[in-house]
Amino acid sequence: MLSKKKNINNINVLLSVLLPLAILIFFSSTSIIYSINFISKNEILSNLSSFLIASFVWLLFYNKLREIIDIKLLNLITCLFLTKTIINFLYIYYFQLNLFDYGSSNDYEISAAGDSGLAHVSILKFISEAPNLIGKLFHNANYYNNKGTLIVYSLIYESFGNFPTNTIPWDSLVVAIYSLIFYFVSGFINNNQKNNLIPVAIFILPAFFFSPLLYRDIYIVLFLSLSLFIVFNNNENTKFYLKFLFLIILSLILFFFRKFYFILPIIFFIIYQFFYNIKL
């Protein structure tokens, strides 16, 4: 159950969700790890550095969330985060790479690896055409229909090395985060012990537990879940106009991932107001 001791603030949650992105921007812009050739050019060491940084980010979430969430549930989500990461690494290394007869995930190309290959090739092209963050935001990448994916995954590539497998720990981290966001949303609706099943059920859905490389949908789910969180969170310290502003920001972010989805946060808000008429 959610603790009654603390109000969950929209601003804090929004900033927390953007924390992994800020860390990736830092590592990609400074090239602290990428500039170490024996790490960034070696897939295993590159994966290890990506996993350690993603785990560090989860540890930051863990230490903050333990004040709000049952520690047993947090420990369970931590185990699922680690299990998902390890299983997906094993799946790629012992099945997919052998299936495609690739020596490295960096060999991914369109004909054999399908959507993952197309995404990988597009990310490498995107990095060469837009080497800095501002350039990435305004670059017209008309060869791929999901610019948000190109931006996020290019930051991971530029942080740790140009291997699609480097995205596995970060995909797991995102699933862990939005599973808990849905847990918060369920607590706003009906705060009881059964809600503990919700993040676990979401986390182990096959589509999210065994996810292909460079899978954009988990990021769309993250921002949609955050939209629902803001809509349902009736913290009296949050002003109506701030709530609407946050939803506009999320709409802009979703526009980069799938243009049609940018309207969904506002639709959630309108439907909530219409059916429940709760004073914000």
Side-chain angles (χ1 to χ4, degrees):
M1 292 176 63
L2 292 176
S3 171
K4 298 293 186 179
K5 297 179 181 179
K6 288 183 175 288
N7 288 322
I8 306 174
N9 187 279
N10 284 336
I11 296 178
N12 291 338
V13 172
L14 182 60
L15 292 177
S16 297
V17 170
L18 294 178
L19 174 64
L21 181 62
I23 289 176
L24 286 174
I25 291 172
F26 170 77
F27 278 102
S28 63
S29 60
T30 59
S31 299
I32 292 175
I33 296 175
Y34 190 87
S35 61
I36 306 174
N37 285 333
F38 77 88
I39 294 179
S40 62
K41 303 300 182 184
N42 182 296
E43 186 162 13
I44 300 297
L45 293 178
S46 185
N47 290 168
L48 180 61
S49 65
S50 177
F51 171 71
L52 290 175
I53 299 300
S55 298
F56 171 74
V57 175
W58 175 249
L59 183 61
L60 296 178
F61 278 94
Y62 183 96
N63 286 332
K64 187 65 178 177
L65 289 170
R66 64 191 304 174
E67 303 172 6
I68 306 171
I69 299 176
D70 180 6
I71 193 68
K72 292 181 180 179
L73 177 60
L74 267 181
N75 289 339
L76 179 57
I77 296 300
T78 301
C79 290
L80 288 171
F81 160 68
L82 296 173
T83 303
K84 171 179 165 55
T85 302
I86 293 170
I87 286 178
N88 278 272
F89 270 131
L90 293 175
Y91 172 76
I92 296 300
Y93 278 115
Y94 290 99
F95 176 73
Q96 247 189 6
L97 291 184
N98 291 331
L99 177 67
F100 297 148
D101 198 25
Y102 289 158
S104 162
S105 65
N106 194 33
D107 296 332
Y108 268 40
E109 41 81 34
I110 299 170
S111 62
D115 288 344
S116 295
L118 173 61
H120 176 57
V121 171
S122 299
I123 291 165
L124 294 177
K125 183 177 181 180
F126 187 66
I127 291 172
S128 67
E129 294 176 348
N132 59 68
L133 181 61
I134 300 300
K136 287 177 172 57
L137 292 175
F138 294 100
H139 182 65
N140 181 25
N142 56 10
Y143 42 83
Y144 195 73
N145 65 355
N146 193 308
K147 190 174 179 180
T149 296
L150 296 181
I151 293 174
V152 172
Y153 286 142
S154 67
L155 293 176
I156 296 175
Y157 277 35
E158 292 175 317
S159 295
F160 309 107
N162 296 335
F163 300 104
T165 46
N166 281 332
T167 65
I168 290 174
W170 296 89
D171 288 353
S172 299
L173 176 65
V174 169
V175 176
I177 292 171
Y178 73 60
S179 71
L180 288 175
I181 291 177
F182 279 114
Y183 172 70
F184 288 141
V185 172
S186 67
F188 297 147
I189 299 171
N190 182 20
N191 190 19
N192 63 52
Q193 194 67 32
K194 292 181 180 179
N195 291 348
N196 288 355
L197 297 174
I198 291 175
V200 177
I202 291 172
F203 208 111
I204 63 176
L205 285 173
F208 297 127
F209 199 77
F210 299 98
S211 52
L213 287 176
L214 310 175
Y215 188 49
R216 68 182 179 183
D217 286 4
I218 61 171
Y219 292 90
I220 295 174
V221 174
L222 172 66
F223 292 113
L224 289 177
S225 69
L226 189 54
S227 301
L228 288 173
F229 173 89
I230 291 173
V231 167
F232 278 91
N233 186 10
N234 292 310
N235 187 326
E236 46 188 45
N237 294 325
T238 302
K239 304 298 182 183
F240 180 88
Y241 71 89
L242 279 178
K243 178 175 284 197
F244 197 75
L245 176 61
F246 295 152
L247 293 174
I248 292 295
I249 292 172
L250 289 171
S251 293
L252 293 174
I253 294 174
L254 280 166
F255 182 81
F256 282 99
F257 284 91
R258 186 167 286 175
K259 293 177 182 177
F260 172 75
Y261 286 1
F262 87 96
I263 195 63
L264 290 181
I266 306 303
I267 291 178
F268 293 159
F269 182 73
I270 293 172
I271 292 175
Y272 179 84
Q273 291 297 298
F274 179 78
F275 283 102
Y276 293 94
N277 195 26
I278 294 177
K279 183 179 179 180
L280 303 179

